[in-house]
């Protein structure tokens, strides 16, 4: 069977699961788990797919992105120690993954129908990349440090889905979605700034969650961006006229710039927590 005709994701747990037209491309390559991504079917009938069918394969040290042989693209090897940032996102049936290193970004799209095998695969990648979560405290009275506003249902569910089974929140800061009003003459336009949730976890990562799609607040969208907490170089609040920017710089050269509208004391408390972690892990 030509795997380009397959429209569903499926797990690749052994060599027997590899589609026949991929076997020459992966011959001799060792892996422990993987997933098949169908080709993008959003283009016209005559145009080639922008994203060909792919295999994602994972072993102890590397992630392999293997395009369909007809795509005439090379296999990409991503060394896990060189992975700087992992982004996943969905908006209704549209889903995407982006693996970023210092020098390159690998952007993949998929249809979210029957996407459970991919979610399990990404969880395995995170575990290999970040390592086993640490015990936050030996005390049964451990409580995470909570800053900012109370989580809404959308961001609470995003956080629940993103955390690993034995990964817990150490500290979090939430700036809820906020209304913007623009006025021109007698006309008024109302837009919404996305909600932003920053989380430091026991899984050695800093996590940024937001309900955003293409730069706008979207009730049907969710984005999760992860970096190693040890890669954080500095974080500070940049004060502006209306909304402030929370700015974070990482050792990879990547930066986060997050528009927030929250209490000064809560933001300052979260930044002190992050700077403490930065000091301990540097």
């Amino acid at each position: 069977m030509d795997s380009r005709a397959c429209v569903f994701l499926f797990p690749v747990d052994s060599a027997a699961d590899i589609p026949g037209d991929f076997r020459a491309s992966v011959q001799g390559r060792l892996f422990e788990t993987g997933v098949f991504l169908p080709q993008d079917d959003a283009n016209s009938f005559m145009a080639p797919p922008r994203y060909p069918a792919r295999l994602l394969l994972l072993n102890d040290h590397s992630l392999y992105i293997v395009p369909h042989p007809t795509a005439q693209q090379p296999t990409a090897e991503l060394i896990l120690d060189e992975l700087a940032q992992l982004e996943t996102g969905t908006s209704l049936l549209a889903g995407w993954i982006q693996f970023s290193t210092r020098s390159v970004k690998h952007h993949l799209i998929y249809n979210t129908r029957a996407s459970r095998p991919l979610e399990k695969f990404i969880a395995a990648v995170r575990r290999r990349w970040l390592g086993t979560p640490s015990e936050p405290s030996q005390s049964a009275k451990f409580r995470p440090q909570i800053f900012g506003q109370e989580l809404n249902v959308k961001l609470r569910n995003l956080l629940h889905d993103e955390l690993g089974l034995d990964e817990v929140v150490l500290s979090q800061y939430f700036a809820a979605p906020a209304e913007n009003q623009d006025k021109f003459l007698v006309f008024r336009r109302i837009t919404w700034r996305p909600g932003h949730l920053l989380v430091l976890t026991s899984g050695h990562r800093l996590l940024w969650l937001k309900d955003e799609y293409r730069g706008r607040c979207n009730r049907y969208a969710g984005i999760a961006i992860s970096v190693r907490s040890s890669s954080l170089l500095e974080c500070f609040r940049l004060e502006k006229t209306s909304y402030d920017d929370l700015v974070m710089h990482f050792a990879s050269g990547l930066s986060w710039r997050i528009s927030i509208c929250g209490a000064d004391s809560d933001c300052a408390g979260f930044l002190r927590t992050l700077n403490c972690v930065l000091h301990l892990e540097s």
Side-chain angles (χ1 to χ4, degrees):
M1 174 183 175
D2 189 337
S3 62
R4 291 174 296 178
C6 184
V7 297
F8 291 104
L9 290 153
F10 59 81
V12 178
D13 295 325
S14 68
D17 299 324
I18 295 175
D21 44 4
F22 275 94
R23 286 177 183 165
S25 301
V26 301
Q27 186 175 11
R29 198 178 300 280
L30 299 178
F31 68 95
E32 294 187 16
T33 188
V35 67
F36 169 80
L37 291 184
Q39 71 180 17
D40 173 26
D41 58 1
N43 292 305
S44 66
F45 178 75
M46 297 300 294
R50 182 181 177 188
Y51 296 93
R54 286 177 168 88
L55 288 180
L56 304 183
L57 304 176
L58 177 69
N59 62 26
D60 278 342
H61 309 291
S62 299
L63 168 68
Y64 297 97
I65 304 173
V66 187
H68 193 274
T70 60
Q72 297 182 342
Q73 297 176 6
T75 294
E77 180 182 5
L78 197 160
I79 307 299
L80 293 180
D81 282 345
E82 297 176 359
L83 181 60
Q85 179 173 285
L86 171 60
E87 175 180 332
T88 60
T90 62
S91 178
L92 297 177
L93 290 177
W96 67 92
I97 316 162
Q98 184 163 286
F99 304 100
S100 300
T101 69
R102 283 179 174 269
S103 57
V104 67
K105 294 180 179 179
H106 299 282
H107 187 83
L108 308 174
I109 67 169
Y110 66 96
N111 191 299
T112 59
R113 61 179 181 258
S115 61
R116 182 57 183 160
L118 179 60
E119 294 164 7
K120 292 178 65 177
F121 178 79
I122 292 299
V125 171
R126 283 200 306 264
R127 185 101 176 189
R128 289 292 173 82
W129 173 40
L130 300 170
T132 303
S134 58
E135 289 288 340
S137 173
Q138 298 299 321
S139 172
K141 296 181 179 179
F142 169 78
R143 294 291 185 273
Q145 294 179 293
I146 306 298
F147 301 97
Q149 296 159 290
E150 183 178 354
L151 288 183
N152 58 24
V153 173
K154 175 69 178 295
L155 271 299
R156 187 183 301 117
N157 289 337
L158 284 176
L159 178 59
H160 177 270
D161 292 342
E162 181 68 17
L163 292 177
L165 292 177
D166 49 358
E167 184 180 19
V168 299
V169 172
L170 300 180
S171 182
Q172 73 179 44
Y173 173 77
F174 179 51
E179 181 182 288
N180 292 324
Q181 294 191 22
D182 298 325
K183 190 173 182 180
F184 177 72
L185 298 178
V186 297
F187 302 101
R188 186 179 67 170
R189 184 183 67 169
I190 297 177
T191 59
W192 284 84
R193 180 191 59 78
H196 298 283
L197 174 59
L198 290 166
V199 182
L200 179 67
T201 82
S202 64
H204 315 294
R205 67 166 162 163
L206 186 60
L207 174 63
W208 176 15
L209 298 170
K210 49 185 175 176
D211 53 352
E212 176 183 301
Y213 185 61
R214 295 181 176 176
R216 295 184 178 183
C217 184
N218 188 310
R219 70 178 65 183
Y220 304 110
I223 297 176
I225 306 175
S226 298
V227 297
R228 282 177 169 150
S229 55
S230 60
S231 71
L232 181 63
L233 292 179
E234 62 174 342
C235 53
F236 55 90
R237 183 168 180 167
L238 183 63
E239 296 185 359
K240 302 195 302 182
T241 304
S242 52
Y243 294 101
D244 294 347
D245 282 351
L246 196 58
V247 182
M248 300 185 181
H249 296 303
F250 302 98
S252 63
L254 297 175
S255 296
W256 291 355
R257 193 182 185 102
I258 306 163
S259 178
I260 62 170
C261 181
D264 289 344
S265 59
D266 280 349
C267 186
F270 183 71
L271 291 181
R272 282 195 298 270
T273 299
L274 292 186
N275 283 315
C276 179
V277 171
L278 172 63
H279 175 72
L280 292 175
E281 296 189 358
S282 61

